Amino acid sequence: MSKSHAGKRVLVTMGDLCGIGPEIVAMALGHPQAGMAAQLCVVGDAAVMRRAMAWAGVQRPLLRLSSLDELENLPPHSVALWQPEGLPQGLLDCAIGQIAAKAGAAAAHCVEAAVAAIQAGAADALVTAPIHKEALHAAGIGYPGHTEMLQALAALDGAPAPVRMMLANNELRTVLVTIHCSLRKAIELINVDSVLETLRIAQAAMLKFGIAAPRIAVAGLNPHAGEGGLFGDEEILHIAPAIALARAEGIAASGPFAPDTVFMRARNAAGHPGEFDVVVAMTHDHGLIPVKYLGVEQGVNVTLGLPFVRTSPDHGTAFDLAGSGRADASSLRAALNMACELLP
Amino acid sequence: MSKSHAGKRVLVTMGDLCGIGPEIVAMALGHPQAGMAAQLCVVGDAAVMRRAMAWAGVQRPLLRLSSLDELENLPPHSVALWQPEGLPQGLLDCAIGQIAAKAGAAAAHCVEAAVAAIQAGAADALVTAPIHKEALHAAGIGYPGHTEMLQALAALDGAPAPVRMMLANNELRTVLVTIHCSLRKAIELINVDSVLETLRIAQAAMLKFGIAAPRIAVAGLNPHAGEGGLFGDEEILHIAPAIALARAEGIAASGPFAPDTVFMRARNAAGHPGEFDVVVAMTHDHGLIPVKYLGVEQGVNVTLGLPFVRTSPDHGTAFDLAGSGRADASSLRAALNMACELLP
């Protein structure tokens, strides 16, 4: 909390322009929280962001940079924008609240450009506004989401970075073994290696968060964590052996626990001290249902295992709210805060 | 709430005697809530219940009935017990906090006897304390849980009753399409018929709860409810068609919705009116994680679709707490209340 981020640069991509991304970015950067010392810069299309600032009622000027180095001398109370070369033309023609291939292509292009800038040393961290997976798909982009795209962009010598999605709010953190695939496919992806790698990544992340001896709970895959093999054997074949190997490495992992109660046990709230610092979950929804249950306003998605800091809000494009100026930027603000917190 | 249950008989099985079942039954029946007009009777072993009452600090006398009709003339401030014929001998020899075949056999026998009494017209409703599925298994009993056992016991002309598990607390209700099986098997069990039957059962239950026009949300199976087919096709092939058929029958079902946000949307709390009266979930843990997240103390399990009322607490045997007298009977009390609420 006390760390200084002055001079650190955080890039914020606008997301799918047919959703609420540009608006919440306009809100968060147009009315930044007091004490936010990092330099913030939108990566997006100038016309789209001007429209979004109007919808969001943001009066500050939008300053289009020709280089990220201009962030050093930005006038106060302005919103900085970097529009990468090669964005599709005519983006304002995309219908708000609809899937558009052009919007998907633009969203992906902003992420790619932002990662390239970070890799070139021109910025330090990435915060992404929501994209729409079907729009990406319509644009011929084969990634189901940000996490997979970032994993590929951060590949070293062709090997994808071993990344995992973490979701966190004020009372619960969860790291997911599998994410954006069918539940059938997720079950196939659970093995000793994938669980052990998740435990190592979760351990490293908790240390980064300043937790000296992280208590890591592992949720099972099956009801009652398999009930001793009666309801599935993934706990016996894959999850328990991975926990044993992690413990041999000095990681304080325990489980596998019944999925339906482990999140309740980890919940850290007033009068309810959590038993664990983080829960490793086997599937997207086992982990995300409890993080989102009390509201998505404070939830933050963190990509662990990348060579740079990346966070995002834990909600989607909310097509039904886009253009209304009524979207809630709380989760994006929380994502900005967490990105600053994790800055090296 | 205002309905009179005077003269109605509610049977409460003791559960697995190696767990907290006998203790919480002793607490709930030894200190019943004011205004509980129904006649309550433990179904269990007299020696086990005497020991549990001592652990729980219950001073009232335990009256062993020779017939349930004696409930009509019970002395005040006593705890009634009906010990069915044929319970295993020497139950006090079972080690507390351990799986014991004899305890599993005794727990199952109490449930069977209670159902037989209800079917014979000698009682009106059943509340069950937790059993342990591995103990049942050790006793050679092939049911993974109460719900499946009750389904078989209530079979008419050999056809199992079409039952579903509902979990409810003060802010959320969920009805499950699949329950006690591996996640792989659960996916195989999802089809138009199983989802449609669940919707019909959920609709009937909500009407019984006094909700005139129930709003039923249906959670998908896959992340993002399949993201338009990118992450699995069960939503397209099975779930959406079942919703359409239910709507054609006049059931206000909607979805399939992304599992990670539909429970948050349905949550009905102060300042957060729920969008739905009940959520139909495809898997055990999709439904139970959010119901249990804020604590199991108020959660109640209701078996829908049986020819009689049956409820239970939504926690397990808690072997680690058994014998300590420190278990929390809140969920069992809530289950007793809900059973009375649902009495015909």
Side-chain angles (χ1 to χ4, degrees), chain B residues 177-198:
Chain B
V177 177
T178 66
I179 48 171
H180 293 131
C181 61
S182 71
L183 199 54
R184 282 181 198 275
K185 171 84 175 171
I187 295 173
E188 298 305 328
L189 292 175
I190 290 165
N191 55 51
V192 172
D193 287 345
S194 64
V195 177
L196 178 58
E197 184 154 64
T198 310

Side-chain angles (χ1 to χ4, degrees), chain B residues 49 62 68 76 91 115 156 171 195 220 240 262 264 279 297 321 327 335:
Chain B
M49 284 307 302
L62 184 74
L68 289 171
L91 289 174
V115 169
L156 295 172
E171 47 180 56
V195 177
V262 68
M264 166 191 82
V279 181
E297 299 79 7
L321 278 179

Side-chain angles (χ1 to χ4, degrees), chain B residues 16-280:
Chain B
D16 188 305
L17 68 102
C18 300
I20 60 170
E23 281 159 89
I24 59 174
V25 170
M27 292 173 195
L29 272 67
H31 302 290
Q33 281 171 297
M36 178 78 70
Q39 296 168 350
L40 309 180
C41 182
V42 185
V43 181
D45 179 81
V48 166
M49 284 307 302
R50 260 187 220 104
R51 182 178 66 177
M53 288 170 75
W55 285 338
V58 171
Q59 311 288 340
R60 301 186 173 196
L62 184 74
L63 294 189
R64 187 168 164 184
L65 311 182
S66 52
S67 148
L68 289 171
D69 288 336
E70 295 173 39
L71 284 168
E72 301 297 330
N73 299 300
L74 211 63
H77 308 299
S78 57
V79 176
L81 172 107
W82 175 50
Q83 179 170 321
E85 296 284 320
L87 269 184
Q89 299 295 306
L91 289 174
L92 292 182
D93 300 340
C94 297
I96 293 299
Q98 307 280 329
I99 291 165
K102 197 152 56 168
H109 187 71
C110 290
V111 173
E112 288 162 2
V115 169
I118 292 170
Q119 287 174 329
D124 302 287
L126 176 63
V127 177
T128 58
I131 56 177
H132 199 286
K133 289 166 189 65
E134 290 185 66
L136 286 187
H137 195 68
I141 294 162
Y143 301 114
H146 272 123
T147 304
E148 296 85 351
M149 190 188 308
L150 293 166
Q151 179 170 38
L153 292 173
L156 295 172
D157 303 327
V163 308
R164 289 295 185 279
M165 186 189 282
M166 178 172 90
L167 270 286
N169 62 23
N170 293 335
E171 47 180 56
L172 185 66
R173 296 185 194 96
T174 182
V175 179
L176 309 177
V177 177
T178 66
I179 48 171
H180 293 131
C181 61
S182 71
L183 199 54
R184 282 181 198 275
K185 171 84 175 171
I187 295 173
E188 298 305 328
L189 292 175
I190 290 165
N191 55 51
V192 172
D193 287 345
S194 64
V195 177
L196 178 58
E197 184 154 64
T198 310
L199 287 167
R200 289 175 179 150
I201 290 172
Q203 168 83 358
M206 292 305 107
L207 295 174
K208 244 183 177 172
F209 273 96
I211 300 168
R215 301 162 302 167
I216 303 179
V218 183
L221 172 74
N222 295 296
H224 306 192
E227 191 87 32
L230 296 179
F231 304 157
D233 57 12
E234 287 83 0
E235 285 80 6
I236 294 168
L237 295 179
H238 309 305
I239 305 173
I243 293 171
L245 290 169
R247 293 181 66 89
E249 294 178 9
I251 297 172
S254 57
F257 297 111
D260 61 349
T261 49
V262 68
F263 299 97
M264 166 191 82
R265 293 172 61 188
R267 179 176 171 246
N268 191 46
H272 189 289
E275 290 181 48
F276 310 106
D277 298 302
V278 62
V279 181
V280 167

Side-chain angles (χ1 to χ4, degrees), chain A residues 153-208:
Chain A
L153 291 172
L156 295 171
D157 303 326
V163 307
R164 289 296 185 277
M165 186 189 282
M166 178 174 90
L167 271 285
N169 61 23
N170 293 336
E171 47 180 57
L172 186 66
R173 298 184 192 96
T174 181
V175 179
L176 309 178
V177 178
T178 66
I179 49 170
H180 293 132
C181 61
S182 71
L183 200 55
R184 282 181 198 274
K185 171 85 175 171
I187 296 173
E188 298 305 327
L189 292 175
I190 290 164
N191 54 53
V192 173
D193 287 345
S194 64
V195 176
L196 179 58
E197 184 153 64
T198 310
L199 287 168
R200 290 174 179 153
I201 290 173
Q203 167 83 358
M206 291 306 105
L207 295 175
K208 244 184 176 170

